[in-house]
Amino acid sequence: MKGTIPDPGSQKLNWHKPPLTVLVIKKMHDENALSAFTQLVKWLIQEKNMAVYVEKAVFDDAMCSENPVCRGLQKQIKTFEEEKDELTNKIDFVICLGGDGTLLYASSLFQASMPPVMAFNMGSLGFLTPFSFQDFKGQVTQVLEGNAGLLLRYRLKCVICRKDSQMSKIPHVKQIQRSHSTIQSKTHMLVFNEVVVDRGQSPYLCNIDLYVEGKLVTTVQGDGLIISTPTGSTAYAVAAGASMVHPNVPAIVITPICPHSLSFRPVVVPAGVEIKIMVSPEARNSAWVSLDGRNRQEIFEGDSVRITTAQYPVPSVCAKDQMDDWFESLAECLHWNVRKPQKPMPTLIDSPSTNSLTGNSDSSS
């Protein structure tokens, strides 16, 4: 039997039709991001004839409302409100101006299929934002013409099932649909980086049971557990000791947070398996769940957090390619393997003393 090894270089941006609508996500309360935002939006409208969508909160911000250029653009822009307006079938292309958190927020707006996203670095770290804004016109034009590589970043599907609910009786989390009438938006989410289960403000250890494909594999006693995507492996997970996994690897990373055991190491499981987390019957307290650092909520005995790989990834536009972008981020943002170079061995120089020791003296006796 011969397997097929995927070629990372084969993932290219391919527009089925010319992009006509663009969503611009801007870092809030930042002067540099605001200046870039006004330049970009004005150029997209006037030069590229694109319909631009922007979150209403951007214009409610005092920094924007006091800017005459920003106020002038407001009449030419379509606005939306989070959790009120559905964007899935309206947007062809997404541009982010900010840091990694801006990209995480953009991902949360698309709880199904997401259009390609181009991220400009205007934040603190910029691990996920490979583009510089200096040459934004040339770079955006290249992307709009389809001349760019693409990285499909896996997301996690996370469903929080309450005790004795109908969802808890469904055999596999893959079979739970968002359109289910009993599902609330905060209990069914697509997650970009990680799902974190922790002890919250309790002074006691977190005591939670970990199931993989329905089998109890271990009980976690410690501060909590991180279930992350390969992209999320370089976020909270790496700070807790996980390996850094390239975003193109189909996997889920399971990382304990300060486990009360010297042998509990992070593990990597195949993408697509179901991971279920429940508060152990022997636990002294409840636990808390957060999804990409948001939607924090408490879970109790009998509740379950069910996780698998989502069928809708985030198509991230590459500045160079999948490998160069990732390794450059490791080196520049995390200073991966940075140390002073080792000095070479010193070169031995012939001298009379060394010659005499080796019996090569020219002196006569």
Side-chain angles (χ1 to χ4, degrees):
M1 183 176 178
K2 186 177 180 180
T4 301
I5 300 175
D7 178 14
S10 65
Q11 294 181 1
K12 299 292 184 181
L13 180 60
N14 182 23
W15 298 107
H16 297 295
K17 60 183 181 66
L20 301 175
T21 57
V22 57
L23 170 65
V24 179
I25 302 293
K26 182 189 82 69
K27 182 180 181 180
M28 299 294 286
H29 317 301
D30 185 281
E31 290 186 5
N32 291 331
L34 179 61
S35 174
F37 170 79
T38 54
Q39 292 179 61
L40 174 66
V41 170
K42 187 175 181 180
W43 178 76
L44 288 170
I45 294 173
Q46 296 179 357
E47 300 294 330
K48 295 300 180 181
N49 298 315
M50 299 189 75
V52 178
Y53 284 75
V54 174
E55 189 175 13
K56 182 178 178 294
V58 170
F59 296 105
D60 294 338
D61 181 19
M63 189 175 289
C64 185
S65 62
E66 295 171 0
N67 185 302
V69 178
C70 193
R71 287 200 311 268
L73 290 172
Q74 186 172 1
K75 299 176 183 178
Q76 307 173 61
I77 292 174
K78 298 181 179 181
T79 60
F80 74 95
E81 293 185 61
E82 185 185 8
E83 297 183 357
K84 287 187 178 182
D85 298 313
E86 179 60 47
L87 296 173
T88 302
N89 297 318
K90 297 178 181 178
I91 305 299
D92 298 327
F93 181 38
V94 180
I95 297 178
C96 292
L97 303 173
D100 295 346
T102 311
L103 184 56
L104 263 70
Y105 177 66
S107 170
S108 71
L109 297 174
F110 295 87
Q111 290 298 304
S113 177
M114 183 172 181
V117 56
M118 183 180 189
F120 287 93
N121 181 20
M122 305 195 117
S124 302
L125 190 63
F127 193 90
L128 305 175
T129 53
F131 288 93
S132 171
F133 193 74
Q134 291 178 349
D135 182 31
F136 77 92
K137 294 181 182 179
Q139 294 178 107
V140 174
T141 298
Q142 287 286 318
V143 173
L144 293 177
E145 293 175 353
N147 301 321
L150 206 60
L151 172 60
L152 299 179
R153 295 184 180 272
Y154 294 96
R155 288 194 284 182
L156 297 176
K157 174 182 179 181
C158 177
V159 181
I160 300 174
C161 302
R162 296 301 177 182
K163 183 178 180 180
D164 298 328
S165 66
Q166 290 297 318
M167 287 188 298
S168 64
K169 299 173 184 177
I170 297 176
H172 201 285
V173 67
K174 291 179 181 177
Q175 300 168 352
I176 301 177
Q177 302 299 321
R178 190 172 179 83
S179 57
H180 196 287
S181 59
T182 61
I183 294 178
Q184 299 175 1
S185 62
K186 292 185 179 182
T187 59
H188 186 290
M189 293 287 292
L190 298 189
V191 179
F192 188 79
N193 264 354
E194 73 268 313
V195 177
V196 177
V197 181
D198 59 55
R199 61 190 177 95
Q201 296 182 349
S202 172
Y204 300 113
L205 286 174
C206 202
N207 197 337
I208 51 180
D209 294 333
L210 173 66
Y211 296 81
V212 177
E213 287 293 284
K215 178 182 175 63
L216 176 64
V217 294
T218 193
T219 296
V220 181
Q221 297 182 90
D223 282 353
L225 196 63
I226 305 167
I227 310 298
S228 64
T229 62
T231 295
S233 70
T234 50
Y236 190 4
V238 76
S243 293
M244 296 181 290
V245 183
H246 188 276
N248 204 40
V249 177
I252 300 174
V253 185
I254 302 174
T255 308
I257 307 171
C258 298
H260 201 251
S261 165
L262 297 178
S263 59
F264 194 172
R265 307 304 303 158
V267 295
V268 179
V269 297
V273 302
E274 177 178 355
I275 296 170
K276 184 170 70 173
I277 300 169
M278 301 184 71
V279 176
S280 176
E282 291 78 28
R284 296 185 179 185
N285 52 290
S286 60
W288 286 82
V289 183
S290 60
L291 315 176
D292 276 341
R294 307 179 73 196
N295 301 318
R296 191 163 172 81
Q297 49 197 296
E298 193 171 10
I299 58 170
F300 304 89
E301 183 182 347
D303 297 340
S304 61
V305 182
R306 305 176 68 179
I307 304 163
T308 191
T309 306
Q311 65 182 113
Y312 300 109
V314 173
S316 298
V317 179
C318 300
K320 294 180 181 177
D321 59 48
Q322 290 188 12
M323 292 300 154
D324 277 1
D325 285 4
W326 193 62
F327 279 106
E328 280 190 14
S329 291
L330 290 182
E332 294 178 11
C333 300
L334 299 184
H335 294 180
W336 177 59
N337 196 31
V338 173
R339 75 181 294 274
K340 292 183 177 180
Q342 185 181 44
K343 294 181 179 180
M345 290 288 288
T347 302
L348 294 176
I349 302 175
D350 290 343
S351 66
S353 59
T354 56
N355 288 337
S356 62
L357 288 174
T358 57
N360 294 325
S361 176
D362 291 334
S363 60
S364 57
S365 57

